[in-house]
Amino acid sequence: GIGAAGAAGLAAVLCGTGAAGTVAACDAADRADLTGLWARLTGAGIAVRAVMHAAGAPQSTALADVSLAEFAAVSGAKTVGALLLDQHAGAEVEAFALFSSVSATWGSSGQAAYAAANAALDALAEDRRARGLAATSVAWGPWDGGGMGEGVAGQQLRRRGLRSMPPRLAVAALGQAMD
């Protein structure tokens, strides 16, 4: 919601570009919560034109040690919200961006469920495009400035040659990919 770190600033930037935006707290992986928000927006005459799905769930467990519960929690954090957003976002949505991960492409030690979930996001984007709907899935590497690319995970990625991306360049690349 608007009380989240950076939300008010982002809303101001969007409005400054002439775009309209609504900032609301919603768990996209909770069907009732998302359906309620979508209904409130459409009921107020607000058309959803863009969806940005950037959920993430860190994982650092060897495949042999991953429990079914952990696999479900980590993969569900990425996939359930994306699938529910897909169910709501029809042809009127002009941009549907999924933040996938390089782990979907090359695996990534200790991130079996996370890698599988991101591969599912890539598949969802392909499925949406096959249905004639907007979809872009970007397999991001680590971003600068905190988040999941920090700490031990970030050290492992750097040892493998993946450097962190400056957020401004990443956002510009996302714009190019969506264009």
Side-chain angles (χ1 to χ4, degrees):
I2 197 68
L10 177 59
V13 169
L14 285 172
C15 290
T17 66
T22 300
V23 179
C26 175
D27 180 356
D30 180 310
R31 181 180 302 277
D33 206 12
L34 181 60
T35 299
L37 174 60
W38 209 277
R40 285 191 304 278
L41 292 172
T42 57
I46 299 170
V48 177
R49 297 281 185 231
V51 171
M52 304 291 278
H53 180 273
Q59 182 185 29
S60 183
T61 307
L63 179 58
D65 298 328
V66 177
S67 69
L68 185 55
E70 179 184 3
F71 196 95
V74 171
S75 63
K78 296 278 299 184
T79 59
V80 173
L83 291 169
L84 291 175
L85 285 164
D86 173 52
Q87 291 173 8
H88 285 84
E92 72 283 357
V93 171
E94 299 164 3
F96 191 93
L98 299 162
F99 280 45
S100 181
S101 166
V102 68
S103 69
T105 305
W106 72 325
S108 198
S109 177
Q111 296 184 322
Y114 187 70
N118 283 290
L121 294 187
D122 297 340
L124 174 60
E126 293 220 12
D127 179 68
R128 283 185 59 84
R129 287 193 302 272
R131 290 183 276 142
L133 301 172
T136 303
S137 184
V138 178
W140 296 110
W143 287 45
D144 276 341
M148 292 172 46
E150 295 293 311
V152 174
Q155 292 169 4
Q156 288 179 356
L157 292 171
R158 284 188 292 282
R159 281 196 302 271
R160 290 181 174 93
L162 286 176
R163 296 182 300 168
S164 296
M165 298 175 293
R168 286 182 188 250
L169 292 177
V171 170
L174 175 63
Q176 290 174 343
M178 292 180 72
D179 284 346

